[in-house]
Amino acid sequence: GGEGGGGGGSAPTLFYSRGIGLQGGQPVPIIAGARVTGKVGSFDVGAVNIQTDDQRGVGAESTNFTVLRLRRDIFARSSVGALFENRSKSVVAGDGSNRAWGVDGWFALSSEVGALAYYAQTRTEGLVGSDASYRGQLSWNADQWGARIDHLFVGEDFNPEIGFARRTDFRQSVVSARVSPRPRSIPWIRQITLQADADYVENARAGFVESRDLGGQFRVEFESSDQTGVGFSEKYEYLAQDETISGALVPAGRYSFREVEASYTFGAQRPLSANVSARRGSYYGGDITSVGLRQGRLELTPRLSVEPTISFNWIRLPQGRFDQHVAVTRLTYTLTPRMFVSGLVQYSSGSDSFSSDLRLRWEWAPGSELFLVYSEARDTDVLDRWSELVNRGFVIKVNRLLRL
């Protein structure tokens, strides 16, 4: 699980439990651990303590992870909370530790207007730059009108090592506005939506623009629950250094591009529900054409369902062609209301990789679960070979709910 915010997909996450037991993407042995959740008076409380072992092959030392989370509901639909965490051995500070703490709140000003905010800091030995992160958002989400203002800051040395920060040293400002009338004169249309968005990211220390995204959308929801829409965006991206994007080494520089996307979504009540889309635009000095099927679900029987996802991306850059095609299929069979088996297979042409995952979930008592997970990944190049095993894993996980 995690605690943290959203905001353009760039806000940091202070606590990410799945990162414990991994270092540099490689597994690290866990000696023991415990997790406690519940209520103490009017507070919701969560606590985690886990001890990992040495793993010289990946440079991991024996480390203790401690996290404490407090949250309290206030007023009618608002809440405030605090989080503290300590990692006894920092990844970047040698023998030093890494700490993080923060406060957050959600305030429902009315049934349609809400505000959220957080402030967090980290402490890591050897890092002397800005180690703070904060965010404020005000949103208005009515049926026929909507708007949002959002501002996020992440310092250059903000370093939550029990969570993660996808990027640091930036300020992000987001503004959006929406109007969604319900035309009574057109019986087969339920709602029409017009929306405009602006997303602006600048470097926090130097102040120059890193990226800018201006866009608009037009969507129609039919009485059948199907939806269709078209969107347009104009983007700017500054690359401070050469970057590998979609398998191509893109030179540092300033890039501007435009794209148009059209989509159609079949309602969930249909035998096959899915979002079908097509996109065309410029892309880092070249162009991109994409066709995809997302959020697909086909119910074969009341117990058996298939969820396909397919994405074809034809990318042409000055460096050559870098097509990226991905196919994912999940098959789920419900044995009982409390037990199901699911299997997932994925193929990516960009990395010539094939992965599979088989999972059994059984809720053997209310709030208590057993998970059996088998996973496998293979390199696949049909021109040279069929497959070569990369990794394989088997995991057993048991949750037991204790009521005191």
Side-chain angles (χ1 to χ4, degrees), residues 20-21 28-32 50-54 61-65:
I20 300 176
V28 176
I30 294 178
I31 298 175
I50 296 176
Q51 182 71 38
T52 62
D53 203 355
D54 294 320
E61 299 183 63
S62 180
T63 305
N64 181 263
F65 299 81

Side-chain angles (χ1 to χ4, degrees), residues 134-401:
Y134 56 81
R135 180 188 181 191
Q137 182 191 101
L138 180 65
S139 59
W140 174 33
N141 189 24
D143 179 63
Q144 297 191 32
W145 301 89
R148 179 168 69 102
I149 301 175
D150 196 338
H151 183 74
L152 169 68
F153 168 81
V154 181
E156 69 268 22
D157 283 339
F158 185 74
N159 180 40
E161 293 189 16
I162 306 185
F164 59 87
R166 290 188 176 90
R167 59 192 299 185
T168 58
D169 192 21
F170 74 93
R171 297 179 183 272
Q172 180 181 29
S173 299
V174 178
V175 178
S176 68
R178 170 183 60 81
V179 56
S180 305
R182 295 181 179 271
R184 298 181 179 179
S185 59
I186 310 177
W188 48 276
I189 292 182
R190 181 178 299 171
Q191 193 168 32
I192 297 174
T193 297
L194 292 168
Q195 182 170 324
D197 304 277
D199 189 335
Y200 185 89
V201 179
E202 66 177 2
N203 183 273
R205 286 178 296 175
F208 62 86
V209 179
E210 291 188 354
S211 65
R212 182 179 60 246
D213 189 350
L214 306 176
Q217 299 179 42
F218 173 77
R219 298 191 302 273
V220 177
E221 181 181 0
F222 303 105
E223 282 296 335
S224 64
S225 294
D226 289 3
Q227 297 184 42
T228 187
V230 62
F232 171 82
S233 64
E234 182 174 356
K235 300 180 180 182
Y236 165 83
E237 189 82 23
Y238 170 71
L239 299 181
Q241 58 188 15
D242 296 352
E243 298 283 356
T244 300
I245 300 174
S246 300
L249 184 62
V250 179
R254 294 173 171 83
Y255 296 88
S256 297
F257 35 92
R258 299 177 178 178
E259 65 180 33
V260 177
E261 182 174 15
S263 65
Y264 193 95
T265 302
F266 296 92
Q269 81 284 359
R270 297 185 179 277
L272 173 61
S273 60
N275 172 271
V276 182
S277 63
R279 176 168 61 118
R280 172 71 178 177
S282 50
Y283 191 73
Y284 294 101
D287 60 74
I288 182 172
T289 302
S290 300
V291 177
L293 183 148
R294 302 186 299 269
Q295 301 172 345
R297 179 179 173 82
L298 175 62
E299 190 172 287
L300 301 176
T301 72
R303 292 189 175 188
L304 182 63
S305 64
V306 180
E307 301 174 29
T309 298
I310 304 173
S311 177
F312 297 98
N313 300 276
W314 296 275
I315 302 172
R316 292 174 175 82
L317 300 177
Q319 299 90 329
R321 294 189 57 172
F322 298 89
D323 297 346
Q324 304 278 326
H325 307 315
V326 178
V328 183
T329 300
R330 180 186 297 275
L331 183 69
T332 302
Y333 184 76
T334 304
L335 299 168
T336 72
R338 292 187 174 184
M339 180 187 295
F340 70 83
V341 178
S342 67
L344 182 143
V345 294
Q346 174 175 309
Y347 171 73
S348 173
S349 67
S351 57
D352 283 326
S353 63
F354 178 87
S355 60
S356 59
D357 184 288
L358 183 64
R359 181 174 63 158
L360 168 69
R361 175 189 177 272
W362 174 33
E363 187 177 4
W364 49 278
S368 301
E369 300 168 309
L370 168 68
F371 292 90
L372 303 178
V373 181
Y374 173 80
S375 59
E376 185 175 290
R378 292 179 175 271
D379 278 337
T380 300
D381 188 341
V382 296
L383 297 180
D384 296 333
R385 63 182 185 277
W386 167 237
S387 65
E388 181 178 309
L389 182 66
V390 175
N391 60 62
R392 176 184 290 152
F394 180 70
V395 176
I396 301 175
K397 178 180 177 181
V398 180
N399 295 332
R400 179 69 171 104
L401 177 63

